[in-house]
Amino acid sequence: MHKILICLFLFILPLGAMAQLSVGIRGGYATSTYSYQASAATRSRSVDGIGSPTFSFVVEYFNSKNAGIELNLQQLTLGFRQFNGDEKLNQTELTYLKVPLLASFFAGQSGRFQIKVGPHVGYLLQAKDITREFEGETPRELPTYGGAGDVPNKLMYGLTAGAGISKLFGKSTLSAEVRFGYDFTNPESQGRIFDMSSTNLEFTLAYLFRIKERKF
């Protein structure tokens, strides 16, 4: 994971020399949903997700009037809540360092509409089983990921897209945005279930401060 962050930093550094560069923070609320196949012969099942705060450090630069790239270093907690027929609950939370690298497209001047899309990678920081009230279901319930014998996959990867509005105030920018992420991430590494995937929806506000003007 450290190699990924170093490569992204080295990629951003030379581009910042010829682009308008801004840094800031983004925070808000994220919800997630999970679906899984207990075995290859069973259909995919969806389970309830969770909601949690999210925040990130943001680097944004423009290399043209209405287009640029945005890099985020984001803490994001995903998870699931699964009930059985007796309304007993299993809940697990997975906290990631997520790194989206997004192409940004803008329309407008001081008030702008923005669209962003690109890949993301990430690393699992913590897996925590909040509640485990049942086991032995048919088809199998989602397994634990925060136990002593659990070895979840650490890598996250997928696609992120977002849309929102922003307003310029001198060198400052305020923006409101909705983002959708699809993760190909399957934390299962011990063959207890066949497949697993997740999506997440984020509602965020961001503040950016311009530290370098674009050279024309």
Side-chain angles (χ1 to χ4, degrees):
M1 188 61 191
H2 293 101
K3 292 181 179 179
I4 295 174
L5 296 179
I6 291 171
C7 289
L8 288 171
F9 177 77
L10 293 176
F11 175 73
I12 289 291
L13 188 60
L15 292 172
M18 60 183 178
Q20 177 179 301
L21 186 65
S22 299
V23 298
I25 56 174
R26 186 171 68 92
Y29 193 75
T31 63
S32 58
T33 59
Y34 275 84
S35 60
Y36 76 103
Q37 284 182 267
S39 65
T42 60
R43 64 181 179 85
S44 180
R45 306 177 66 195
S46 296
V47 296
D48 293 341
I50 66 166
S52 65
T54 182
F55 60 90
S56 59
F57 173 73
V58 181
V59 178
E60 176 189 77
Y61 70 89
F62 297 127
N63 51 9
S64 66
K65 182 178 180 180
N66 296 105
I69 293 179
E70 180 181 298
L71 174 71
N72 288 217
L73 298 179
Q74 179 183 12
Q75 180 174 304
L76 177 68
T77 298
L78 308 179
F80 58 84
R81 302 170 71 244
Q82 185 173 22
F83 295 89
N84 69 357
D86 297 323
E87 293 300 313
K88 293 182 178 180
L89 172 65
N90 289 347
Q91 180 174 337
T92 294
E93 294 182 357
L94 304 164
T95 299
Y96 291 91
L97 173 62
K98 181 179 178 181
V99 186
L101 183 61
L102 307 176
S104 304
F105 304 95
F106 298 88
Q109 298 299 321
S110 64
R112 305 180 301 185
F113 174 74
Q114 57 196 37
I115 296 175
K116 301 176 183 180
V117 63
H120 65 254
V121 296
Y123 185 80
L124 181 64
L125 300 175
Q126 182 183 48
K128 187 176 181 180
D129 297 310
I130 306 299
T131 303
R132 299 295 298 187
E133 296 181 345
F134 68 91
E135 62 181 350
E137 297 290 302
T138 303
R140 183 186 169 109
E141 73 281 354
L142 280 164
T144 61
Y145 288 102
D150 296 328
V151 188
N153 286 327
K154 298 289 188 178
L155 182 65
M156 164 194 274
Y157 62 99
L159 297 173
T160 295
I165 56 175
S166 61
K167 178 67 175 177
L168 303 182
F169 299 93
K171 291 190 175 185
S172 298
T173 302
L174 294 177
S175 66
E177 190 174 337
V178 178
R179 288 189 183 179
F180 174 81
Y182 182 84
D183 291 306
F184 302 103
T185 310
N186 182 357
E188 180 58 39
S189 66
Q190 296 167 281
R192 297 171 296 181
I193 57 173
F194 178 70
D195 196 16
M196 186 177 182
S197 63
S198 69
T199 61
N200 70 278
L201 191 64
E202 302 174 31
F203 303 89
T204 62
L205 296 174
Y207 171 79
L208 301 175
F209 184 78
R210 191 184 315 141
I211 61 174
K212 187 176 182 63
E213 295 287 347
R214 183 170 180 263
K215 296 180 180 180
F216 295 94

